[in-house]
Amino acid sequence: MLLTIGVLGLAGVARSVTRLTTESLRLTTAAVLAGSRVEQLRAGGCVGALSGTAVTGAYAESWSASGAGAARAVRVTVTYPAPPGLRMRALAAVIACALDPPSGAP
């Protein structure tokens, strides 16, 4: 009887560890996608599409930027399936814009 209880306890722990590991992988993937999108926007120097959507596998990204002048506030949201439904993670950042030098500047 004691052995049965121990084995059932181990099975429960193994299930929890598997669930947490899977959720960790999903969250890490969402964070990597959001970070990559911010870097792509940063590399663009505030030129081009500062809002949009993309789908990578089961992960849906949406991003938008606001502001003017030398910087933009960027928000990237990644939505992904996770039991019992969808989860959403957001990343906010400020990116510097490449400004043209004034006329006649060296």
Side-chain angles (χ1 to χ4, degrees):
M1 172 101 169
L2 186 57
L3 181 62
T4 302
I5 292 171
V7 169
L8 289 174
L10 284 174
V13 168
R15 181 172 183 250
S16 294
V17 167
T18 300
R19 181 180 52 80
L20 291 172
T21 301
T22 301
E23 177 58 21
S24 175
L25 177 62
R26 289 179 182 138
L27 182 56
T28 299
T29 302
V32 167
L33 286 171
S36 177
R37 182 62 59 192
V38 168
E39 289 306 315
Q40 288 174 12
L41 293 170
R42 186 183 324 268
C46 299
V47 177
L50 291 177
S51 65
T53 60
V55 175
T56 304
Y59 297 82
E61 300 173 66
S62 64
W63 62 92
S64 63
S66 61
R72 301 286 186 272
V74 176
R75 180 175 173 86
V76 179
T77 304
V78 180
T79 305
Y80 58 95
L86 294 176
R87 298 241 174 130
M88 181 177 66
R89 295 292 182 250
L91 173 64
V94 175
I95 60 173
C97 297
L99 297 176
D100 292 332
S103 301

